[in-house]
Amino acid sequence: MQNTDTIWRHVEQKRPCFSELSDRVWGTPELNYAEHRSAAAHAEALEAEGFRVTQGLAGIPTAVMGEAGQGGPVIAILGEYDALPGLSQEAGIAEHRPIEPNGSGHGCGHNLLGSASLLAATAVKDWLAERGLAGRVRYHGCPAEEGGSAKGFMVRDGVFDDVDIAICWHPAAFSGVNKPRSLACMEVDFSFLGRSSHAAAAPHLGRSALDAVELMNVGVNYMREHMPSHARIHYALQDAGGIAPNVVQGQARVRYLVRSLTMAEVLALLERVKKIAQGASLMTETSVTHRVLSADAELVGNDPLEQLMERHFERLGPPRFDEADKDFARAIQATCTPAEIDSAYRRAGLAPIPGEVLAERLVPLSAPEPAGVGSTDVGTVSWKVPTVQARGATYAIGTPGHSWQLVAQGKAPAAHKGLEHVAKVMAGTAAELFADPAQVARARADHAARTADMPDVFPIPKDVPPPLDMAGGH
């Protein structure tokens, strides 16, 4: 497709601006629903590029959208910009050195994610205008992927109702089309209310909410033996009820994240977790309430879109890195364990190459299914709209996800090269869809066939508002 070369040039011309945007967002790491500076930076970039900008989508102050073009199909390119807690780290060094104690950091590369997606959308905008083609490209700045499920609330609010195709990506150790496999999940807070008392003089008058949380955790741990092997349950204490051991804790709160292959399985497991919470409440003579915070559906694949994106990966070829890139990646890889390096290959379905530190090869769609997957709110979008995702090589092989090592590489030249590479793939994919609407129709037909028999289980209950007061991670 000759148009591909042209759109690559559009990406190349504007890459410096969007690498700078990525670095700027890296320098202001913000957690779920608090990405005010990051969202503002993306809105400014959209306005500077001539997009029609809408902010505050779905009642979320940090959700932003830019649209360009007229008529035709609507293709949305999705970006993110939320960070993670406790991962503050200096850039460009291969040792753990926080900038701010207990500060946040971009340990999942979302500074790159939003910037590359916006770069791709900008290239498509310019390409459409250059050719006078009908069609609208949108950049969706989506906050709170790390546990906040913002895309799910945006889907529920109708943000994607008129979208024909959604395209997105995620930073990774290897480049290729993302296999459409993820775990559905639901995040729920359990709050126990007991009765405070003097722990020495009158312990018999107290009813410990912290005891209830501990008993609940024990119960769920026993449940693990009796649930599907692919399911996952995690918890984190949110409120221990105080720091004084001579006071019986009158309140306590624990957050649970329940995952499985389908939302139906998640809901069934969550009912069992609720029963365990009720049992802990009975044992401690406390009361318990629960609050659903967020939820993500599992990913729905799309063969026509995945095959189309793979063709653009193959035409472009893998990213290329220089010796300085590899030297830094080698220093980072030296901080990783052999198990972490092996896991990176298993997740990609590739055989290891001795001495490989940055991936200058592509993962084919024919590679084995990935070993170990997480959750993403892109899954909920994929139930609504035909969706395809890329993976872009931006860091050393073996780098753990959600780690200081990943933060340290977030501004590296290799990360910027990966940003440009994946932006070209996404932009080329979108351009071919605009140029050949029959491919849009094939993708929509595939989506309709896949979702026809799926249970109508929307992951987020209708009465649950976006949890603008939360922070955390999937």
Side-chain angles (χ1 to χ4, degrees):
M1 176 183 164
Q2 184 59 39
N3 289 330
T4 302
D5 293 337
T6 303
I7 204 161
W8 291 349
R9 288 196 293 272
H10 283 299
V11 171
E12 290 167 1
Q13 288 165 4
K14 293 192 174 177
R15 192 259 270 187
C17 294
F18 291 93
S19 292
E20 189 278 330
L21 173 63
S22 174
D23 289 354
R24 185 174 162 194
V25 172
W26 184 97
T28 58
E30 298 164 304
L31 303 181
N32 285 334
Y33 295 110
E35 314 93 333
H36 299 289
R37 290 174 292 180
S38 301
H42 280 247
E44 289 168 13
L46 286 165
E47 289 169 354
E49 290 293 342
F51 285 86
R52 302 181 292 273
V53 179
T54 305
Q55 300 190 57
L57 295 108
I60 301 170
T62 53
V64 61
M65 181 182 75
E67 181 185 79
Q70 301 292 336
V74 177
I75 296 180
I77 303 180
L78 313 183
E80 298 163 11
Y81 31 72
D82 55 326
L84 286 159
L87 291 179
S88 176
Q89 168 65 29
E90 288 188 24
I93 62 170
E95 63 179 77
H96 188 203
R97 191 185 299 168
I99 297 172
E100 175 187 350
N102 301 314
S104 301
H106 275 283
C108 210
H110 291 184
N111 59 303
L112 297 161
L113 199 167
S115 300
S117 292
L118 184 43
L119 172 55
T122 299
V124 174
K125 169 185 69 72
D126 295 345
W127 181 86
L128 283 171
E130 187 176 77
R131 279 159 180 70
L133 288 177
R136 286 166 285 164
V137 61
R138 291 178 184 165
Y139 169 74
H140 283 203
C142 306
E145 189 276 336
E146 296 290 359
S149 303
K151 294 184 193 68
F153 291 100
M154 292 164 74
V155 169
R156 193 182 69 181
D157 205 53
V159 171
F160 294 93
D161 282 359
D162 64 344
V163 172
D164 290 289
I165 303 290
I167 299 172
C168 53
W169 79 289
H170 202 282
F174 296 92
S175 299
V177 180
N178 186 65
K179 297 269 187 168
R181 184 166 180 259
S182 70
L183 297 178
C185 68
M186 185 167 282
E187 198 158 8
V188 184
D189 275 1
F190 289 88
S191 298
F192 290 87
L193 182 63
R195 185 180 303 117
S196 298
S197 70
H198 195 296
H204 57 291
L205 300 179
R207 298 294 182 268
S208 174
L210 182 58
D211 285 354
V213 165
E214 292 185 290
L215 286 167
M216 178 184 177
N217 294 344
V218 169
V220 172
N221 285 333
Y222 274 103
M223 173 184 159
R224 294 178 195 278
E225 184 183 356
H226 307 288
M227 66 185 199
S229 59
H230 54 253
R232 300 286 186 270
I233 299 182
H234 334 282
Y235 57 82
L237 195 60
Q238 304 295 305
D239 177 8
I243 60 172
N246 62 340
V247 177
V248 173
Q249 294 87 352
Q251 78 285 327
R253 178 165 52 94
V254 63
R255 182 166 298 170
Y256 267 81
L257 179 55
V258 181
R259 310 188 206 231
S260 199
L261 289 179
T262 67
M263 182 52 59
E265 289 183 359
V266 168
L267 293 174
L269 288 170
L270 181 59
E271 287 305 309
R272 295 172 64 189
V273 172
K274 288 178 184 177
K275 290 178 180 177
I276 291 171
Q278 291 163 2
S281 171
L282 286 171
M283 285 188 285
T284 54
E285 295 186 6
T286 59
S287 62
V288 63
T289 58
H290 72 273
R291 173 195 174 196
V292 175
L293 296 170
S294 63
D296 300 336
E298 66 273 20
L299 282 166
V300 177
N302 193 282
D303 287 342
L305 290 179
E306 289 151 20
Q307 292 162 8
L308 172 61
M309 179 174 275
E310 181 167 58
R311 289 198 298 274
H312 283 271
F313 266 114
E314 290 172 345
R315 192 170 193 279
L316 178 61
R320 298 299 177 189
F321 303 102
D322 61 29
E323 285 307 309
D325 298 328
K326 293 175 184 178
D327 284 344
F328 181 46
R330 200 169 287 113
I332 289 287
Q333 197 179 71
T335 72
C336 304
T337 67
E340 287 167 338
I341 296 169
D342 178 68
S343 177
Y345 285 107
R346 287 190 296 106
R347 283 176 62 87
L350 295 177
I353 294 178
E356 186 179 33
V357 290
L358 287 170
E360 295 181 303
R361 53 175 166 155
L362 300 175
V363 179
L365 272 173
S366 59
E369 286 294 314
V373 293
S375 306
T376 172
D377 57 6
V378 176
T380 306
V381 177
S382 73
W383 280 36
K384 180 72 176 178
V385 178
T387 301
V388 64
Q389 285 184 283
R391 291 273 163 173
T394 58
Y395 54 77
I397 297 167
T399 303
H402 297 191
S403 68
W404 68 263
Q405 291 100 323
L406 205 154
V407 183
Q409 297 171 82
K411 295 173 66 177
H416 294 160
K417 290 169 186 172
L419 179 158
E420 177 183 320
H421 182 265
V422 78
K424 287 179 176 178
V425 170
M426 291 189 291
T429 301
E432 186 166 344
L433 289 165
F434 280 122
D436 184 6
Q439 297 201 56
V440 176
R442 285 195 288 273
R444 291 184 64 81
D446 184 278
H447 184 266
R450 288 173 185 267
T451 56
D453 297 326
M454 295 180 78
D456 186 18
V457 182
F458 190 79
I460 303 173
K462 293 179 180 179
D463 60 343
V464 172
L468 302 183
D469 59 341
M470 78 169 299
H474 279 175

